[in-house]
Amino acid sequence: MKITLADGNIREYGEAKSAYDIAADIDPALARSAALALIDGEERDLRTMVEADARVEILTAEDARGLAAMRHSASHVLAQAVQELFPEAKLAIGPSIENGFYYDFEHRPFSREDLDALEARMKKIIKKGERIERFFLPREEAIEFFAQRQQPYKVELIRDLPLDAQISFYRQGDFVDLCAGPHLMNTKGIKAFKLISSSGAYWRGKSENAMLQRIYGTAFLEKEELDAYLAHLESIKTRDHNRLGRELELFTTVDVIGQGLPLIMPKGAKIIQTMQRWIEDEEERRGYVRTRTPFMAKSDLYKISGHWDHYREGMFVLGDPEKDREVFALRPMTCPFQYYIYKASQKSYRDLPIRYGETSTLFRNEDSGEMHGLTRVRQFTISEGHLVVRPDQMVEEFKGCLALAKYCLQTLGVEEDVRYRLSKWDPAHPEKYVGSAQVWEETQEHIRRILQDLDIDFFEEEADAAFYGPKVDIQARNVYGKEDTMITIQWDGVLAEQYDMYYIDHNGEKVRPYIIHRTAMGCYERTLAWLIEKYEGKFPTWLAPEQVRVLPISEKFLDYGHKVCAYLQERGILATVDGRSEKIGFKIREARKQKLPYMLVVGQKEEEEGQVSVRSRFLGDEGMRPLEDFTREILLEIAEKRIRQEAPAQD
RNA sequence: GCUAAUGUGGCUCAGAGGUAGAGCAGCUCACUCGUAAUGAGCAGGCCGUGGGUUCGAUUCCCACCAUUAGCUCCA
């Protein structure tokens, strides 16, 4: 048989060979560092026998796929260490994940001391250099194997496999695990690793199941890479909006006010105000009309929409449905309110499309463990809107919503940081959705084509649609890599029916319109969080709540400092004075900590009637200038230069 | 909702079953000062909240509230 190697060379063998043997034949050193084989492009275990002509590529842990195999083996070593130190622990599953690996155990919670002890034991196992071997058992024997060893989770896993399956096992020393692989050949191949943390995690990810204890770890080829990753984890904390946002006095929380109810402080409110004014003006330019609708409504409204039955847990209900004649609920969305505005007068086909926009405050009763900083809150404000359109206008209007979203992302400078998701229905559970399979598939195809027309890269995800239609979600990652929806644009061909909305077409007939639910930029709180992390607190000047801070170097110049501040503010620059007495060093440090451009007021040159003239110096700008030189343009230029210079490169 | 950790002056943190500590910030006085901390003094705390154990609890126990990490959830 002929084996084509990665470099294009061909080797011939008279008999079947394992990928590992082929690696050894190429170079024994390669075999020692091999982690994974690509056989005709497919990721396979090194032990895989190659029996016919094939392309074979040997990957080491330098390759991301090889690294994943190494981490997977590291998770097995962790499981072995747990078995040795805590024999009563039951094993669940242990895959490699994006930045490392985890393994789930049924056990009491692990402490940091436990993790340290496990790490030490893992080092021993690795040092011993156990061979990792693979073998297979028929299903019944495999069940028997784990039943004897009292590993109920493994038994459950095997029971879910096909009846005729040959069950794959890996063994290193005394430790045997159910596993499809792939794995390294020897535990020695696990180089630099670290156990990061432990926490609870539900068996099979279902909250009705038992809670297991998950241990997270990571592994790298080189110690330097591991150290760099651990340092990265530390450094991320300084960008975390939840920490930085509090440090910069953008928001705070108070326990007596409640979970998920942050207080947006003056500087945070200023940023949100700037964004809101900008969005509202932009929407107006794009033909939106504004509405203002109530924050609450009788339960009857939510009964029509179906929320009362399906979403009552998520709403704040005012009153007792058992006792009170009238029960209200705070609104979790604005849709029906704007529908009734549409319905308040009869519409002609000539009136459409109608684009309603509202800066809309919503209330959702999230579970207590879900709240997080500004990204997951119980009250938030979004640039919400509903477009009522004729079916023939749907594609064009949907594109318009995407264009607006794209414009917003560009203006905020975050266009490169998002992923577009086409959120589809779940064909396996049609009962969760309204409409036929055919309509769903057709609508999804419409959206797919729209995205392709606009040259937007996107990925597709099943079971993420709204019950009334598929949608495009624009996703962004926070510093920890978790993804949140920032913008959503939803295709709705069914709610108009539910709310009996119609327009009169040119034949004088009543026709159902289509509806687009959309946000221009999503939730302001979440967007603020995103921007804090994106810019590490160094906001673009147009968004900055404080564009420059005036620092009198001594109390003698305090009055002049105030005049400088007034002078700047008259010119549309958001300036403040740090009037604290003598501590110029502290004031500078404080301004830097808060990522602000600062201006030192160092002396008066002259003062004429109604005019201040002060020698000043500005961070990043060489030399002294008279105050009159600090026009808005120069300030913007210097401030933006500071951001470009100091902001770390985006990845 | 689940599994854990945490909660001490404005901030960062120490502490211990027996009257609450430090640094920074604040205030006062002195210094009148030139780009990352001038000196001295003063003031500031229901040790998250509520119960319990104890002669005595901020410390030990229980519950609750909040924050954080992870899981689940996000119509």
Side-chain angles (χ1 to χ4, degrees):
Chain A
M1 69 181 175
K2 286 184 187 164
I3 301 299
T4 312
L5 303 177
D7 58 9
N9 284 333
I10 294 176
R11 294 198 179 212
E12 293 208 33
Y13 300 101
E15 55 186 355
K17 272 195 171 302
S18 72
Y20 176 79
D21 289 338
I22 295 171
D25 188 45
I26 297 167
D27 184 347
L30 177 63
R32 277 197 296 278
S33 60
L36 184 67
L38 285 186
I39 300 176
D40 287 330
E42 280 186 37
E43 291 175 37
R44 306 297 290 273
D45 191 89
L46 288 167
R47 299 156 188 81
T48 307
M49 297 304 286
V50 183
E51 285 160 354
D53 292 0
R55 293 185 58 87
V56 174
E57 187 177 345
I58 304 298
L59 300 180
T60 68
E62 277 176 44
D63 181 277
R65 294 161 291 188
L67 183 60
M70 178 175 103
R71 287 169 170 172
H72 191 178
S73 296
S75 87
H76 277 214
V77 172
L78 166 62
Q80 183 178 356
V82 168
Q83 288 260 282
E84 291 176 9
L85 292 184
F86 308 103
E88 70 284 6
K90 308 281 180 236
L91 306 182
I93 53 167
S96 78
I97 52 175
E98 190 171 350
N99 290 311
F101 61 88
Y102 69 78
Y103 209 110
D104 287 347
F105 307 93
E106 184 192 298
H107 191 255
R108 64 162 171 79
F110 293 100
S111 64
R112 184 64 239 184
E113 290 68 42
D114 293 332
L115 297 191
D116 291 341
L118 286 166
E119 241 176 61
R121 178 58 68 111
M122 286 172 72
K123 278 187 186 142
K124 256 189 207 165
I125 294 167
I126 290 167
K127 205 170 171 193
K128 239 161 104 187
E130 306 261 34
R131 279 180 61 81
I132 305 174
E133 290 163 331
R134 187 179 200 185
F135 62 95
F136 294 87
L137 288 178
R139 191 166 175 277
E140 286 312 313
E141 283 179 45
I143 290 172
E144 182 56 29
F145 180 90
F146 282 119
Q148 268 184 12
R149 283 165 180 73
Q150 296 180 0
Q151 292 293 350
Y153 298 99
K154 297 292 179 191
V155 170
E156 188 179 330
L157 288 171
I158 297 169
R159 285 199 198 281
D160 286 347
L161 295 172
L163 285 175
D164 57 349
Q166 282 289 309
I167 312 296
S168 165
F169 288 77
Y170 282 83
R171 174 197 297 128
Q172 70 230 14
D174 298 333
F175 176 80
V176 178
D177 201 355
L178 168 75
C179 185
H183 279 282
L184 305 181
M185 298 301 286
N186 192 296
T187 57
K188 256 199 175 125
I190 299 160
K191 302 297 182 189
F193 76 96
K194 171 96 187 148
L195 297 184
I196 306 280
S197 62
S198 80
S199 72
Y202 296 112
W203 166 235
R204 298 198 143 180
K206 294 209 171 99
S207 55
E208 63 267 23
N209 287 345
M211 179 151 278
L212 307 175
Q213 296 302 319
R214 174 171 299 177
I215 296 178
Y216 284 97
T218 192
F220 290 89
L221 195 53
E222 304 285 345
K223 183 165 188 312
E224 292 71 39
E225 289 175 280
L226 174 65
D227 291 344
Y229 177 72
L230 296 176
H232 169 71
L233 286 185
E234 273 307 304
S235 73
I236 265 175
K237 290 183 188 160
T238 65
R239 304 181 76 119
D240 182 344
H241 86 274
N242 208 359
R243 182 165 157 158
L244 196 50
R246 290 168 201 268
E247 266 172 30
L248 299 180
E249 299 183 332
L250 302 175
F251 77 99
T252 187
T253 51
V254 177
D255 56 2
V256 294
I257 291 177
Q259 270 193 312
L261 298 169
L263 304 179
I264 312 284
M265 297 166 78
K267 287 181 203 166
K270 181 70 206 175
I271 298 176
I272 288 179
Q273 182 194 43
T274 302
M275 288 194 286
Q276 183 183 334
R277 286 176 171 170
W278 159 62
I279 292 283
E280 289 180 352
D281 288 347
E282 186 59 32
E283 285 182 341
E284 198 167 339
R285 270 191 284 282
R286 292 175 189 240
Y288 283 74
V289 290
R290 305 213 72 74
T291 64
R292 287 175 67 83
T293 57
F295 283 10
M296 59 185 215
K298 292 196 292 179
S299 56
D300 308 43
L301 179 75
Y302 305 108
K303 284 175 186 159
I304 297 174
S305 66
H307 284 87
W308 193 254
D309 290 331
H310 295 111
Y311 194 60
R312 181 143 33 135
E313 292 298 296
M315 291 200 287
F316 290 101
V317 175
L318 312 176
D320 183 346
E322 304 289 308
K323 281 190 279 183
D324 299 326
R325 179 175 289 186
E326 248 185 356
V327 174
F328 290 87
L330 296 177
R331 65 177 180 196
M333 36 74 223
T334 317
C335 326
F337 298 89
Q338 289 191 328
Y339 298 163
Y340 280 102
I341 287 177
Y342 176 87
K343 282 161 60 73
S345 63
Q346 184 158 278
K347 298 293 190 296
S348 149
Y349 68 96
R350 297 180 217 270
D351 294 324
L352 270 43
I354 294 175
R355 309 183 185 95
Y356 294 116
E358 178 161 340
T359 300
S360 181
T361 297
L362 305 179
F363 305 84
R364 298 182 186 184
N365 192 3
E366 304 282 358
D367 288 341
S368 65
E370 311 301 345
M371 261 62 75
H372 177 77
L374 290 179
T375 56
R376 197 76 182 272
V377 291
R378 284 184 160 147
Q379 177 191 316
F380 55 92
T381 300
I382 65 174
S383 53
E384 197 170 13
H386 295 85
L387 287 74
V388 187
V389 311
R390 302 194 306 258
D392 65 277
Q393 296 168 325
M394 192 63 174
V395 167
E396 215 38 50
E397 288 301 316
F398 204 92
K399 282 183 178 172
C401 294
L402 277 164
L404 173 55
K406 208 169 172 186
Y407 162 78
C408 292
L409 295 170
Q410 269 169 353
T411 307
L412 293 174
V414 293
E415 199 195 4
E416 302 299 318
D417 305 327
V418 298
R419 303 204 300 155
Y420 289 72
R421 179 177 76 192
L422 169 51
S423 300
K424 303 187 289 187
W425 79 319
D426 181 1
H429 295 280
E431 74 283 358
K432 290 186 180 170
Y433 304 88
V434 181
S436 69
Q438 192 194 342
V439 169
W440 274 92
E441 295 298 334
E442 279 174 14
T443 312
Q444 286 166 190
E445 182 54 29
H446 279 307
I447 298 179
R448 202 175 281 126
R449 248 184 256 139
I450 288 171
L451 288 165
Q452 284 161 356
D453 279 359
L454 295 175
D455 255 339
I456 293 172
D457 281 333
F458 65 98
F459 66 105
E460 304 191 9
E461 198 70 41
E462 271 183 6
D464 271 329
F467 70 89
Y468 43 74
K471 55 183 181 165
V472 174
D473 292 315
I474 302 180
Q475 306 289 109
R477 286 181 166 220
N478 71 8
V479 286
Y480 297 104
K482 269 198 159 181
E483 210 166 56
D484 274 314
T485 300
M486 304 307 304
I487 296 178
T488 181
I489 302 170
Q490 311 180 349
W491 182 298
D492 174 7
V494 309
L495 285 188
E497 173 87 31
Q498 208 161 335
Y499 281 91
D500 191 27
M501 297 160 71
Y502 64 86
Y503 63 91
I504 308 294
D505 74 2
H506 62 284
N507 297 319
E509 313 255 335
K510 287 184 181 180
V511 179
R512 295 283 177 222
Y514 279 6
I515 296 169
I516 300 172
H517 310 237
R518 47 102 269 172
T519 62
M521 208 193 52
C523 160
Y524 287 103
E525 290 81 354
R526 197 176 268 189
T527 304
L528 176 57
W530 187 20
L531 294 174
I532 294 169
E533 296 185 356
K534 161 81 180 176
Y535 291 111
E536 210 173 336
K538 290 175 268 198
F539 299 101
T541 305
W542 72 279
L543 271 175
E546 201 182 341
Q547 293 169 329
V548 61
R549 186 172 294 173
V550 177
L551 310 182
I553 63 152
S554 91
E555 201 168 351
K556 196 166 67 174
F557 301 126
L558 184 57
D559 284 349
Y560 298 123
H562 281 294
K563 285 177 183 168
V564 168
C565 184
Y567 173 92
L568 294 171
Q569 281 180 340
E570 273 169 31
R571 280 150 191 81
I573 294 165
L574 295 173
T576 55
V577 183
D578 187 341
R580 279 176 293 186
S581 56
E582 304 296 301
K583 310 205 169 162
I584 186 61
F586 179 79
K587 289 192 275 199
I588 292 173
R589 209 153 32 86
E590 195 71 3
R592 288 186 172 172
K593 205 167 92 190
Q594 300 194 4
K595 329 267 186 188
L596 288 173
Y598 55 88
M599 178 182 282
L600 290 158
V601 174
V602 297
Q604 179 196 21
K605 202 167 72 182
E606 56 186 292
E607 187 171 9
E608 292 165 19
E609 187 92 2
Q611 220 188 348
V612 190
S613 178
V614 175
R615 289 194 300 134
S616 308
R617 204 166 90 167
F618 194 80
L619 173 68
D621 192 41
E622 288 307 316
M624 307 284 231
R625 297 180 182 217
L627 184 61
E628 303 86 76
D629 283 3
F630 289 106
T631 61
R632 187 172 165 80
E633 287 63 41
I634 287 184
L635 180 111
L636 289 180
E637 190 193 313
I638 296 171
E640 292 299 335
K641 190 165 82 188
R642 171 189 64 93
I643 286 169
R644 281 198 297 275
Q645 281 175 344
E646 292 188 15
Q650 296 303 312
D651 40 34

